[in-house]
Amino acid sequence: QVQLVESGGGLVQAGGSLRLSCTASGRTFTTSAMAWFRQAPGKERELVAGISWSGGTPYYADSAKGRFTISRDNAKNTVYLQMNSLKPEDTAVYLCAQGAVLDPHGMEYWGKGTLVTVSS
């Protein structure tokens, strides 16, 4: 089975930066869409950023646009989320997800998540 393992979360001050990484096992990464979601306590899970198998035209939530960058390295089976200008409202568990198509309702595999805490 596909396994996704996230890393890079931690505590950062407002205005700072973090880079999250998600490494996938299996043989389907290069033909799969990848995405980052986040979930804060008491809030709905939301799609933050996504990237297709081709790496073209990535998707960003309005809250992330201009601050976050998603990228992938197919040779390493890894997807990244570079987060700059972090705000306290970015605090959440960030989860990596994989699917055949970038569809927030149809992602097939999920990591356990990595916690990002942004202090004011």
Side-chain angles (χ1 to χ4, degrees):
Q1 299 292 328
V2 170
Q3 294 187 47
L4 307 176
V5 180
E6 303 99 333
S7 63
L11 175 64
V12 65
Q13 292 180 306
S17 298
L18 286 173
R19 188 181 73 162
L20 307 183
S21 299
C22 171
T23 299
S25 66
R27 300 182 178 92
T28 61
F29 178 86
T30 58
T31 55
S32 297
M34 302 296 298
W36 288 97
F37 292 76
R38 69 185 180 189
Q39 180 125 45
K43 296 184 178 180
E44 299 285 341
R45 184 190 68 192
E46 64 174 331
L47 175 62
V48 177
I51 189 166
S52 71
W53 65 269
S54 68
T57 315
Y59 166 85
Y60 297 100
D62 288 342
S63 60
K65 198 170 299 182
R67 299 188 298 126
F68 294 3
T69 302
I70 188 170
S71 61
R72 65 191 298 162
D73 184 340
N74 288 344
K76 296 181 178 180
N77 275 20
T78 300
V79 63
Y80 304 95
L81 185 67
Q82 177 67 45
M83 305 187 294
N84 298 326
S85 302
L86 284 162
K87 305 174 181 179
E89 51 262 46
D90 294 319
T91 295
V93 173
Y94 284 71
L95 302 106
C96 176
Q98 177 180 319
V101 178
L102 184 54
D103 181 346
H105 305 293
M107 306 307 289
E108 300 173 62
Y109 304 100
W110 295 82
K112 292 183 177 181
T114 185
L115 178 62
V116 171
T117 303
V118 184
S119 62
S120 60

